Structures are given as C-alpha cells and as structure tokens.
C-alpha cells in the first residue's frame, strides 16, 4: 500500500449529484485491480482539478474493494476545491488520491451504536452503517440532521433501514434544531459517533460530558485548524527538555513544536482524535478540541487546535 501522503490516480467510474449541493464520485483502480483495504470511518486525501488537497471520508462499503466512493459538498464560498471537483470532475477522469487512513474508527464492543450526522457529515457514517449491516456488529440507530429533503444525501438508501434512522430537517432555522438531549441523556452502554458542522459537534460534546470518554467519537470535516483573527502570539516553555518555543498568531502550537523538533504524535489535527494529547503544567489554555472532558482541561491540552487563552503569554508543557 502506498504511503498515506503518496497520491495515486483512481478513475472516476461514476459522477452524480445525490443532493442539492452534494456530488458523489465512485472511484476504481485504473487497471481494474482491487483497491487498498480500509475500515469504516476512513478518509482519503484527493488533489482537486485546481491543485488543492482536500480530505473526504469514504462512504462506500469497506467489504467491497472493487470500488470506493466519496461525496463532496459544493462549497461556493470556499477556496474552490469542492467547486472544482463538483463542476469539473467527470466520469473517466483520473483523480489523484492517497491511501485510506482512519481517524474515526468503530471502536469497542458497545451494547449498541448511536450515530449523529449533520449534513455532509453523513459520509463516514454511511460506510459504518454498511459495515454493520454486513453482519457481526451491534444494533445501531442514526439521527441525521439536514436543512431540507433536497439537501439530504443517501435519503433513499437510508429509508430502507426502517426504525433505525431518524431524519430531521430544520429549514436552516436554529429554532427548529432537533433536541438531542433525550437521545443522549442516558449513555446505556452505547458508543456515539458524531460528524457534522462544528456547532453540532460542540453541542453534542456538551451533552455527553457524563458519558465515558472512550464512548464518544467525533470527526471534523473542517480539516486542519483554521487561524482566527483574534489569535495572539504566545510562548511555550517545555518543562522536560528545558526549551522554549514561540507560537506566532497564524501558527498552531503543533506546527510551532514541529518546527522546533518537539512535536508530540498527531493524526487528525482537528482536535477530535486525541493523539496529540499533551500535559499542561501551567498557564491558561483556550481549549478548542472535542476530546478533553471538563475535568481534564486543567492538566491537558491538544496542541493541534488549542492555544493560550487571551491574556496568557506562556503555557508550560510536559514535553
Ligand atoms: Fe487529533 Fe490533535 S492530532 S486531536
């Protein structure tokens, strides 16, 4: 299997719109060979026709390696990567892709699985459902929150899973948002996977503070942490190695540590997988991850997304 950052062309076997602003691309090996194996929840990076690199979850069945599929939301106001894919990629074209990698796997042996998907966040969950329906997994139930029926990808397919899928449309009105509290109030030995807009995931995080940390999993579609205009520079002091690292305003802690040769292991770089968890010995942090429980925030930080809180010039790390 190629290295995760090596791009290899896959041929577009089918390209079609599956919701108002969502396009599905079925991809095959150009020589007809089997694709590299993957597990439900995995993603690939693709190089778009306009030269950008974007990450997309696989939504196809991991048991079928004759083809795989991604679904792309056409983001009009983005940097043009999704528009280039949705408007420019045609059947027969070659799309450079990396090997699959999974930061959002189905873990553990829960009593049952709960899925919460917002909009395009349905894609990794489709591959999970396909895997569970293939046999051997625990019962599952999906809450799928979209703007309207026209914005709802995979609606026909999901309609076949009677009693297992709740679809809610809010019409873009926050006052019509689905109340997830009755779903999440009692953990009941379940595991939760949630993927969707950051606001939805933050709300779910807030409602699952009483769940075991190992039972709640998030996937962020937003990609790498984005700098915020209000971000300020600050300094890191590394307690074990004795060094110091400056973190400029537009740079993540992880990138600054990396440049100085001190970075912890990382994976998702979106504050959802927990890999870069680092001991925080002193300083006030602005926690921007979806991993740490409230009681952990005084002693830990996720340097891929979090920073020093406003007014704090220095964080001391256990590095
Ligand atoms: Fe995944 Fe930081 S690398 S939480």
């Amino acid at each position: 299997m190629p290295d995760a950052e090596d791009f290899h062309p896959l041929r577009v076997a089918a390209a079609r719109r599956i919701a108002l602003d969502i396009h599905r691309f079925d991809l095959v090996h150009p020589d007809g060979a089997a694709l590299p194996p993957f597990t439900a929840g995995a993603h690939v990076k693709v190089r778009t026709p306009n030269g950008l690199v974007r990450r997309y979850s696989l939504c196809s069945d991991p048991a079928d390696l004759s083809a795989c599929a991604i679904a792309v939301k056409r983001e009009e106001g983005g940097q043009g990567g999704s528009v280039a894919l949705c408007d420019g990629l045609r059947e027969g074209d070659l799309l450079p892709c990396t090997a699959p990698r999974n930061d959002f796997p189905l873990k553990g042996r829960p009593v049952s699985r709960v899925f919460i998907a917002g909009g395009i966040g349905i894609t990794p969950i489709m591959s999970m459902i396909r895997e569970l329906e293939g046999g051997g997994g625990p019962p599952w139930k999906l809450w799928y929150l979209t703007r309207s029926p026209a914005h709802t990808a995979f609606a026909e397919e999901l309609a076949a899973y009677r009693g297992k899928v709740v679809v809610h449309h809010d019409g873009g009105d926050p006052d019509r948002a689905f109340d997830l509290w009755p779903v999440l109030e009692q953990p009941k030995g379940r595991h939760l996977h949630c993927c969707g807009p950051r606001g939805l995931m933050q709300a779910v995080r807030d409602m699952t503070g009483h769940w075991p940390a190992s039972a709640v999993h998030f996937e962020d579609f937003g990609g790498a942490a984005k700098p915020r205009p209000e971000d300020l520079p600050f300094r890191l002091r590394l307690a074990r190695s004795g060094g110091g690292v400056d973190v400029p305003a537009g740079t993540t802690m992880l990138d600054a540590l990396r440049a100085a040769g001190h970075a912890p292991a990382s994976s998702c770089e979106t504050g959802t997988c927990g890999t870069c968890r680092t001991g925080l010995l002193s300083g006030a942090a602005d926690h921007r991850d979806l991993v740490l429980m409230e009681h952990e925030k005084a002693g830990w930080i996720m340097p891929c997304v979090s920073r020093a809180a406003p007014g704090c010039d220095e964080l001391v790390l256990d590095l």
Side-chain angles (χ1 to χ4, degrees):
M1 183 189 296
D3 177 85
E5 293 303 316
D6 283 347
F7 286 80
H8 294 259
L10 296 182
R11 188 171 303 284
V12 179
R16 61 186 189 280
R17 203 172 71 168
I18 57 171
L20 199 57
D21 52 359
I22 299 175
H23 294 243
R24 171 177 171 149
F25 300 98
D26 290 80
L27 307 169
V28 296
H29 193 286
D31 301 331
L35 296 173
F38 71 96
T39 51
H43 67 271
V44 293
K45 289 181 183 171
V46 308
R47 189 168 292 123
T48 68
N50 60 341
L52 300 172
V53 173
R54 291 290 176 265
R55 158 190 165 138
Y56 294 103
S57 293
L58 296 172
C59 55
S60 50
D61 185 349
D64 178 7
L65 297 179
S66 64
C68 66
I70 58 172
V72 178
K73 182 174 182 200
R74 192 179 183 283
E75 303 274 11
E76 194 66 66
Q79 291 175 288
S82 67
V83 172
L85 286 169
C86 294
D87 295 0
L89 198 61
R90 299 274 178 267
E91 202 173 306
D93 287 350
L94 292 174
L95 179 67
C97 299
T98 63
R101 171 175 153 158
N102 201 341
D103 294 327
F104 191 48
L106 287 171
K107 284 188 189 160
R109 294 176 172 271
V111 171
S112 65
R113 295 198 181 274
V114 179
F115 300 120
I116 297 176
I120 189 66
I122 190 65
T123 49
I125 289 166
M126 285 308 297
S127 82
M128 293 175 173
I129 288 173
R130 295 181 209 283
E131 182 168 299
L132 293 177
E133 286 294 301
W140 60 270
K141 188 153 182 177
L142 163 68
W143 280 263
Y144 182 19
L145 314 177
T146 74
R147 190 182 184 99
S148 74
H151 289 86
T152 306
F154 306 106
E156 232 170 76
E157 192 174 345
L158 289 170
Y161 302 126
R162 280 181 173 232
K164 296 181 175 182
V165 179
V166 176
V167 181
H168 176 80
H169 309 301
D170 65 8
D173 178 357
D175 289 343
R176 287 167 54 194
F178 189 83
D179 180 10
L180 287 164
W181 178 241
V183 177
L184 301 173
E185 186 176 4
Q186 306 280 343
K188 297 184 194 154
R190 300 173 296 170
H191 269 218
L192 164 69
H193 283 73
C194 175
C195 183
R198 195 78 184 186
L200 170 68
M201 293 197 293
Q202 195 62 59
V204 169
R205 166 88 281 173
D206 293 346
M207 281 186 250
T208 51
H210 58 300
W211 285 50
S214 60
V216 183
H217 314 278
F218 294 96
E219 171 90 322
D220 192 339
F221 254 75
K226 294 183 186 63
R228 299 181 188 173
E230 69 272 23
D231 287 348
L232 296 170
F234 60 98
R235 187 163 174 76
L236 298 172
R237 190 146 56 82
L238 311 182
R240 273 190 274 152
S241 60
V245 175
D246 288 319
V247 184
T251 301
T252 64
M253 280 174 60
L254 187 64
D255 281 341
L257 287 166
R258 212 175 253 152
H262 297 289
S266 65
S267 185
C268 71
E269 300 192 16
T270 61
T272 53
C273 75
T275 306
C276 69
R277 175 188 286 253
T278 299
L280 174 64
L281 302 179
S282 77
D286 174 5
H287 292 285
R288 298 179 181 179
D289 63 274
L290 292 164
V291 174
L292 294 175
M293 308 298 275
E294 234 14 78
H295 67 273
E296 296 178 306
K297 290 183 175 174
W300 297 96
I301 191 165
M302 313 306 293
C304 64
V305 290
S306 298
R307 305 184 66 81
C312 172
D313 297 332
E314 183 178 82
L315 298 178
V316 183
L317 303 182
D318 186 17
L319 280 176

